[in-house]
Amino acid sequence: MKVTKKRLGRAFFQNPDVVEVAKSLLGKIICSNVDGKYCEAMITETEAYAGQNDKACHAHMGRFTKRTATMYEKGGTSYVYLCYGIHHLFNIVTNIEGKADAVLIRAIEPINGTAIMLERRKTTRLNPIVFSGPGKLTKALAIDKSLNALDLVYNDILYIADHNFIVNDIVKTTRIGIDYADEDALLPWRFYISGNKFVSQP
DNA sequence: TAGGTGATCTTG
DNA sequence: AAGATCACCTAT
């Protein structure tokens, strides 16, 4: 079978249904070209954050600050921020400009440049634990705040591609680490590829 | 299971 | 304006 590698364009990200985008991002490829080192990793786990109506979202009730401003950008923009003083978390903004929807990437599976990613994680063992968790994959892909608010559609440092991986079965669960969000903490908006070892909490 | 770490936001 | 909070990780 011919494998096509196609970069995702604006239309993919501007979908007004962030839950659908979170699901269709599973199996897609993150291409990172930081420090002249190129590597590719498949997205295995995501979470959807649905703008101002979602209590778990940074932009809940239209909250607009220096940090959350990026979430209001047009779909296809990167949203990277520091969490717990240590970890960079990588999100992809979706929907049109002004709508603060985003998808958090929670886990990846290395596809190309695995050695580079292992080195950045300071290990030699290819263990799923090394790449499953939002703070870990950013380290593996060298994503930090300097890559915030980047346009993933036109940039050559960081972008998303489709290698035509077929995702057969998607598991739906509740999102992690958002107990403060009351009833919205119960929404089944965390998705991962069924049977894939590279997820944070099977 | 506890503590580290620092930007962000303030009786989540 | 200082302190609580926080979409987490690593090591004991």
PDB file of all heavy atoms in Angstrom, chain A residues 87 91 121 135 177 180, chain C residues 5-10:
ATOM      1  N   HIS A  87       6.895  21.628  33.795  1.00  0.00           N
ATOM      2  CA  HIS A  87       6.497  20.929  32.584  1.00  0.00           C
ATOM      3  C   HIS A  87       5.872  21.848  31.552  1.00  0.00           C
ATOM      4  O   HIS A  87       4.994  22.636  31.861  1.00  0.00           O
ATOM      5  CB  HIS A  87       5.501  19.825  32.921  1.00  0.00           C
ATOM      6  CG  HIS A  87       5.961  18.954  34.033  1.00  0.00           C
ATOM      7  ND1 HIS A  87       6.993  18.059  33.870  1.00  0.00           N
ATOM      8  CD2 HIS A  87       5.582  18.856  35.318  1.00  0.00           C
ATOM      9  CE1 HIS A  87       7.212  17.445  35.019  1.00  0.00           C
ATOM     10  NE2 HIS A  87       6.369  17.908  35.913  1.00  0.00           N
ATOM     11  N   ASN A  91      -0.603  22.081  23.400  1.00  0.00           N
ATOM     12  CA  ASN A  91      -1.985  22.036  22.911  1.00  0.00           C
ATOM     13  C   ASN A  91      -2.030  22.545  21.478  1.00  0.00           C
ATOM     14  O   ASN A  91      -1.163  23.314  21.056  1.00  0.00           O
ATOM     15  CB  ASN A  91      -2.894  22.973  23.714  1.00  0.00           C
ATOM     16  CG  ASN A  91      -2.928  22.663  25.192  1.00  0.00           C
ATOM     17  OD1 ASN A  91      -3.941  22.239  25.720  1.00  0.00           O
ATOM     18  ND2 ASN A  91      -1.838  22.904  25.889  1.00  0.00           N
ATOM     19  N   ARG A 121      15.120  12.523  26.645  1.00  0.00           N
ATOM     20  CA  ARG A 121      14.484  12.014  27.867  1.00  0.00           C
ATOM     21  C   ARG A 121      15.518  11.366  28.789  1.00  0.00           C
ATOM     22  O   ARG A 121      15.164  10.807  29.823  1.00  0.00           O
ATOM     23  CB  ARG A 121      13.390  11.006  27.508  1.00  0.00           C
ATOM     24  CG  ARG A 121      12.216  11.613  26.781  1.00  0.00           C
ATOM     25  CD  ARG A 121      11.333  12.463  27.702  1.00  0.00           C
ATOM     26  NE  ARG A 121      10.595  11.652  28.641  1.00  0.00           N
ATOM     27  CZ  ARG A 121      10.766  11.655  29.958  1.00  0.00           C
ATOM     28  NH1 ARG A 121      11.653  12.459  30.487  1.00  0.00           N
ATOM     29  NH2 ARG A 121      10.066  10.903  30.726  1.00  0.00           N
ATOM     30  N   GLY A 135       3.799  16.222  29.970  1.00  0.00           N
ATOM     31  CA  GLY A 135       5.060  16.904  30.240  1.00  0.00           C
ATOM     32  C   GLY A 135       6.242  16.158  29.641  1.00  0.00           C
ATOM     33  O   GLY A 135       7.300  16.730  29.377  1.00  0.00           O
ATOM     34  N   GLY A 177      -6.723  15.287  35.975  1.00  0.00           N
ATOM     35  CA  GLY A 177      -6.168  16.430  36.683  1.00  0.00           C
ATOM     36  C   GLY A 177      -7.007  17.685  36.637  1.00  0.00           C
ATOM     37  O   GLY A 177      -6.485  18.788  36.708  1.00  0.00           O
ATOM     38  N   TYR A 180     -11.201  20.289  39.753  1.00  0.00           N
ATOM     39  CA  TYR A 180     -11.815  21.575  40.107  1.00  0.00           C
ATOM     40  C   TYR A 180     -12.970  21.948  39.185  1.00  0.00           C
ATOM     41  O   TYR A 180     -13.685  22.900  39.442  1.00  0.00           O
ATOM     42  CB  TYR A 180     -10.758  22.686  40.055  1.00  0.00           C
ATOM     43  CG  TYR A 180     -10.078  22.793  38.712  1.00  0.00           C
ATOM     44  CD1 TYR A 180     -10.626  23.569  37.700  1.00  0.00           C
ATOM     45  CD2 TYR A 180      -8.892  22.106  38.455  1.00  0.00           C
ATOM     46  CE1 TYR A 180     -10.024  23.644  36.458  1.00  0.00           C
ATOM     47  CE2 TYR A 180      -8.288  22.173  37.221  1.00  0.00           C
ATOM     48  CZ  TYR A 180      -8.850  22.941  36.237  1.00  0.00           C
ATOM     49  OH  TYR A 180      -8.253  23.016  34.998  1.00  0.00           O
TER      50      TYR A 180
ATOM     51  P    DT C   5      -5.514  26.757  47.551  1.00  0.00           P
ATOM     52  OP1  DT C   5      -6.969  26.692  47.747  1.00  0.00           O
ATOM     53  OP2  DT C   5      -4.595  25.812  48.215  1.00  0.00           O
ATOM     54  O5'  DT C   5      -5.238  26.718  45.979  1.00  0.00           O
ATOM     55  C5'  DT C   5      -5.782  27.756  45.163  1.00  0.00           C
ATOM     56  C4'  DT C   5      -5.210  27.645  43.765  1.00  0.00           C
ATOM     57  O4'  DT C   5      -3.853  28.104  43.697  1.00  0.00           O
ATOM     58  C3'  DT C   5      -5.199  26.213  43.216  1.00  0.00           C
ATOM     59  O3'  DT C   5      -5.867  26.262  41.973  1.00  0.00           O
ATOM     60  C2'  DT C   5      -3.723  25.897  43.024  1.00  0.00           C
ATOM     61  C1'  DT C   5      -3.164  27.282  42.767  1.00  0.00           C
ATOM     62  N1   DT C   5      -1.709  27.480  43.003  1.00  0.00           N
ATOM     63  C2   DT C   5      -0.957  28.087  42.015  1.00  0.00           C
ATOM     64  O2   DT C   5      -1.425  28.454  40.951  1.00  0.00           O
ATOM     65  N3   DT C   5       0.370  28.251  42.316  1.00  0.00           N
ATOM     66  C4   DT C   5       0.999  27.874  43.491  1.00  0.00           C
ATOM     67  O4   DT C   5       2.185  28.099  43.633  1.00  0.00           O
ATOM     68  C5   DT C   5       0.153  27.245  44.467  1.00  0.00           C
ATOM     69  C7   DT C   5       0.740  26.807  45.760  1.00  0.00           C
ATOM     70  C6   DT C   5      -1.142  27.078  44.188  1.00  0.00           C
ATOM     71  P    DC C   6      -6.678  24.989  41.443  1.00  0.00           P
ATOM     72  OP1  DC C   6      -7.864  25.508  40.787  1.00  0.00           O
ATOM     73  OP2  DC C   6      -6.788  23.985  42.503  1.00  0.00           O
ATOM     74  O5'  DC C   6      -5.659  24.410  40.357  1.00  0.00           O
ATOM     75  C5'  DC C   6      -5.450  25.156  39.160  1.00  0.00           C
ATOM     76  C4'  DC C   6      -4.154  24.697  38.544  1.00  0.00           C
ATOM     77  O4'  DC C   6      -3.052  25.105  39.354  1.00  0.00           O
ATOM     78  C3'  DC C   6      -3.986  23.173  38.461  1.00  0.00           C
ATOM     79  O3'  DC C   6      -4.471  22.704  37.221  1.00  0.00           O
ATOM     80  C2'  DC C   6      -2.484  22.968  38.589  1.00  0.00           C
ATOM     81  C1'  DC C   6      -1.939  24.342  38.949  1.00  0.00           C
ATOM     82  N1   DC C   6      -0.951  24.405  40.045  1.00  0.00           N
ATOM     83  C2   DC C   6       0.234  25.117  39.814  1.00  0.00           C
ATOM     84  O2   DC C   6       0.410  25.647  38.714  1.00  0.00           O
ATOM     85  N3   DC C   6       1.130  25.193  40.794  1.00  0.00           N
ATOM     86  C4   DC C   6       0.892  24.592  41.979  1.00  0.00           C
ATOM     87  N4   DC C   6       1.820  24.702  42.930  1.00  0.00           N
ATOM     88  C5   DC C   6      -0.292  23.868  42.220  1.00  0.00           C
ATOM     89  C6   DC C   6      -1.184  23.794  41.237  1.00  0.00           C
ATOM     90  P    DA C   7      -5.256  22.889  36.096  1.00  0.00           P
ATOM     91  OP1  DA C   7      -5.107  24.058  35.284  1.00  0.00           O
ATOM     92  OP2  DA C   7      -6.543  22.609  36.741  1.00  0.00           O
ATOM     93  O5'  DA C   7      -4.823  21.680  35.154  1.00  0.00           O
ATOM     94  C5'  DA C   7      -4.962  20.365  35.595  1.00  0.00           C
ATOM     95  C4'  DA C   7      -4.502  19.420  34.499  1.00  0.00           C
ATOM     96  O4'  DA C   7      -5.213  19.755  33.283  1.00  0.00           O
ATOM     97  C3'  DA C   7      -3.034  19.540  34.157  1.00  0.00           C
ATOM     98  O3'  DA C   7      -2.575  18.285  33.643  1.00  0.00           O
ATOM     99  C2'  DA C   7      -3.022  20.591  33.049  1.00  0.00           C
ATOM    100  C1'  DA C   7      -4.295  20.194  32.297  1.00  0.00           C
ATOM    101  N9   DA C   7      -4.913  21.332  31.616  1.00  0.00           N
ATOM    102  C8   DA C   7      -5.747  22.268  32.155  1.00  0.00           C
ATOM    103  N7   DA C   7      -6.166  23.162  31.293  1.00  0.00           N
ATOM    104  C5   DA C   7      -5.560  22.787  30.101  1.00  0.00           C
ATOM    105  C6   DA C   7      -5.593  23.322  28.807  1.00  0.00           C
ATOM    106  N6   DA C   7      -6.303  24.388  28.484  1.00  0.00           N
ATOM    107  N1   DA C   7      -4.868  22.711  27.858  1.00  0.00           N
ATOM    108  C2   DA C   7      -4.156  21.630  28.188  1.00  0.00           C
ATOM    109  N3   DA C   7      -4.046  21.028  29.359  1.00  0.00           N
ATOM    110  C4   DA C   7      -4.787  21.654  30.293  1.00  0.00           C
ATOM    111  P    DC C   8      -1.971  17.289  34.735  1.00  0.00           P
ATOM    112  OP1  DC C   8      -1.943  16.004  34.059  1.00  0.00           O
ATOM    113  OP2  DC C   8      -2.632  17.449  36.023  1.00  0.00           O
ATOM    114  O5'  DC C   8      -0.479  17.795  34.869  1.00  0.00           O
ATOM    115  C5'  DC C   8       0.396  17.832  33.731  1.00  0.00           C
ATOM    116  C4'  DC C   8       1.773  17.386  34.159  1.00  0.00           C
ATOM    117  O4'  DC C   8       2.012  17.868  35.488  1.00  0.00           O
ATOM    118  C3'  DC C   8       1.959  15.875  34.233  1.00  0.00           C
ATOM    119  O3'  DC C   8       3.079  15.534  33.456  1.00  0.00           O
ATOM    120  C2'  DC C   8       2.148  15.567  35.697  1.00  0.00           C
ATOM    121  C1'  DC C   8       2.709  16.876  36.218  1.00  0.00           C
ATOM    122  N1   DC C   8       2.462  17.095  37.649  1.00  0.00           N
ATOM    123  C2   DC C   8       3.552  17.280  38.493  1.00  0.00           C
ATOM    124  O2   DC C   8       4.691  17.264  38.015  1.00  0.00           O
ATOM    125  N3   DC C   8       3.331  17.468  39.807  1.00  0.00           N
ATOM    126  C4   DC C   8       2.088  17.493  40.287  1.00  0.00           C
ATOM    127  N4   DC C   8       1.917  17.687  41.582  1.00  0.00           N
ATOM    128  C5   DC C   8       0.961  17.314  39.441  1.00  0.00           C
ATOM    129  C6   DC C   8       1.182  17.111  38.144  1.00  0.00           C
ATOM    130  P    DC C   9       3.520  14.089  33.149  1.00  0.00           P
ATOM    131  OP1  DC C   9       3.938  14.035  31.751  1.00  0.00           O
ATOM    132  OP2  DC C   9       2.475  13.190  33.636  1.00  0.00           O
ATOM    133  O5'  DC C   9       4.830  13.953  34.046  1.00  0.00           O
ATOM    134  C5'  DC C   9       5.852  14.923  33.846  1.00  0.00           C
ATOM    135  C4'  DC C   9       7.011  14.702  34.779  1.00  0.00           C
ATOM    136  O4'  DC C   9       6.639  15.058  36.119  1.00  0.00           O
ATOM    137  C3'  DC C   9       7.522  13.269  34.817  1.00  0.00           C
ATOM    138  O3'  DC C   9       8.915  13.308  34.631  1.00  0.00           O
ATOM    139  C2'  DC C   9       7.140  12.768  36.191  1.00  0.00           C
ATOM    140  C1'  DC C   9       7.050  14.044  37.015  1.00  0.00           C
ATOM    141  N1   DC C   9       6.008  14.010  38.077  1.00  0.00           N
ATOM    142  C2   DC C   9       6.334  14.404  39.381  1.00  0.00           C
ATOM    143  O2   DC C   9       7.479  14.767  39.640  1.00  0.00           O
ATOM    144  N3   DC C   9       5.372  14.383  40.334  1.00  0.00           N
ATOM    145  C4   DC C   9       4.129  13.994  40.022  1.00  0.00           C
ATOM    146  N4   DC C   9       3.210  13.990  40.964  1.00  0.00           N
ATOM    147  C5   DC C   9       3.779  13.605  38.687  1.00  0.00           C
ATOM    148  C6   DC C   9       4.745  13.626  37.750  1.00  0.00           C
ATOM    149  P    DT C  10       9.724  11.979  34.369  1.00  0.00           P
ATOM    150  OP1  DT C  10      10.641  12.262  33.268  1.00  0.00           O
ATOM    151  OP2  DT C  10       8.791  10.827  34.313  1.00  0.00           O
ATOM    152  O5'  DT C  10      10.553  11.832  35.720  1.00  0.00           O
ATOM    153  C5'  DT C  10      11.185  12.964  36.281  1.00  0.00           C
ATOM    154  C4'  DT C  10      11.576  12.637  37.707  1.00  0.00           C
ATOM    155  O4'  DT C  10      10.432  12.731  38.565  1.00  0.00           O
ATOM    156  C3'  DT C  10      12.131  11.226  37.855  1.00  0.00           C
ATOM    157  O3'  DT C  10      13.464  11.375  38.326  1.00  0.00           O
ATOM    158  C2'  DT C  10      11.207  10.540  38.858  1.00  0.00           C
ATOM    159  C1'  DT C  10      10.520  11.720  39.551  1.00  0.00           C
ATOM    160  N1   DT C  10       9.135  11.480  40.007  1.00  0.00           N
ATOM    161  C2   DT C  10       8.758  11.959  41.251  1.00  0.00           C
ATOM    162  O2   DT C  10       9.529  12.535  41.996  1.00  0.00           O
ATOM    163  N3   DT C  10       7.451  11.734  41.584  1.00  0.00           N
ATOM    164  C4   DT C  10       6.504  11.083  40.827  1.00  0.00           C
ATOM    165  O4   DT C  10       5.364  10.950  41.248  1.00  0.00           O
ATOM    166  C5   DT C  10       6.949  10.609  39.529  1.00  0.00           C
ATOM    167  C7   DT C  10       6.002   9.914  38.653  1.00  0.00           C
ATOM    168  C6   DT C  10       8.228  10.830  39.184  1.00  0.00           C
TER     169       DT C  10
END
